[in-house]
Amino acid sequence: MIALEDWIISTWSEGIRDRATLNVWEWAAQNLAFTAKQGNITGFYDPHLTPYAKLFQEAVTSDFRDIPESDWWLTSLVEKGQRVDEAFVCKSSQSGLSQAAINATIYLPQFAPGRLLYVFESRDKAKKVAANRIIPFLRQHCGRVSSEDLDVTSTWIETLDMIIELGGSYSTGLFSEKALRYGFLDDVEYMVAEGGVAGMLDGIHVIDHMRSRFTTADDSFLGVFSKPDLESSEFIVNCRGGSQHRWHVRCPHCNGQQILEPEGLNYSHPGCKDLAGRYDL
């Protein structure tokens, strides 16, 4: 009888669920407004502040609408109807990638539900992100939301038909007995270090711990992002084994595409300063 009730609820919720007309970052720009308590920038999420994070958010559901010209390979992949299953991103601090993953975490229960595990380098950080930046928005947009702390390892969040778990990287129990559709590893280079090897947990890297949970999902997505800490690591190896995408910007002089690097900035150009003589970046 319980199984029948679960099937009825699942079928009913699938039938009335909103159909996504916007992808993750488009939806976030219209629906996620931050207070001063939730970040240093208040108001609605602005995807144009971190335009390179758009591609990551599109990859979560393989709903690509803003592919840069330089990413011809991705255009070809999308035209063939193929999905992106993994995205590894080397980032800097305050780059907006964590917020991109948080946007997806709030978006997915409404438009593409499936069990999600979001892992941080520490349990404390996971708990703060859940309490301040995820649960308030889920309650606002998903209706009934329950949450609880599971012993010392994770925060468990349950919406109508999706389970979200956030935790630190120091417990193998966090990865066990879970059939996942989505997984995020935030700052993986700074997670648990076993035997002096960053990311190792009980002899297995946390990336592979997470991968092992996708065995039953045909449309799973793994997002891994971190500030690089080592010249060679499991994270770096995976980054180099991917598309090697680098964000390009248009040159105001020749109108061509270039990678934004410090040596490419022209500090003597008068147009870069405002009337007070300050750099207008």
Side-chain angles (χ1 to χ4, degrees), residues 52-77:
Y52 43 81
K54 291 180 181 178
L55 196 61
F56 178 86
Q57 294 175 81
E58 292 174 353
V60 175
T61 57
S62 285
D63 186 356
F64 295 98
R65 308 186 189 187
D66 195 36
I67 301 177
E69 295 175 7
S70 56
D71 286 334
W72 56 268
W73 56 271
L74 182 56
T75 301
S76 176
L77 183 147

Side-chain angles (χ1 to χ4, degrees), residues 77-95:
L77 183 147
V78 172
E79 288 175 348
K80 295 176 182 177
Q82 296 176 291
R83 288 181 51 84
V84 172
D85 296 324
E86 295 185 352
F88 285 77
V89 185
C90 283
K91 69 180 188 70
S92 63
S93 297
Q94 301 296 314
S95 60

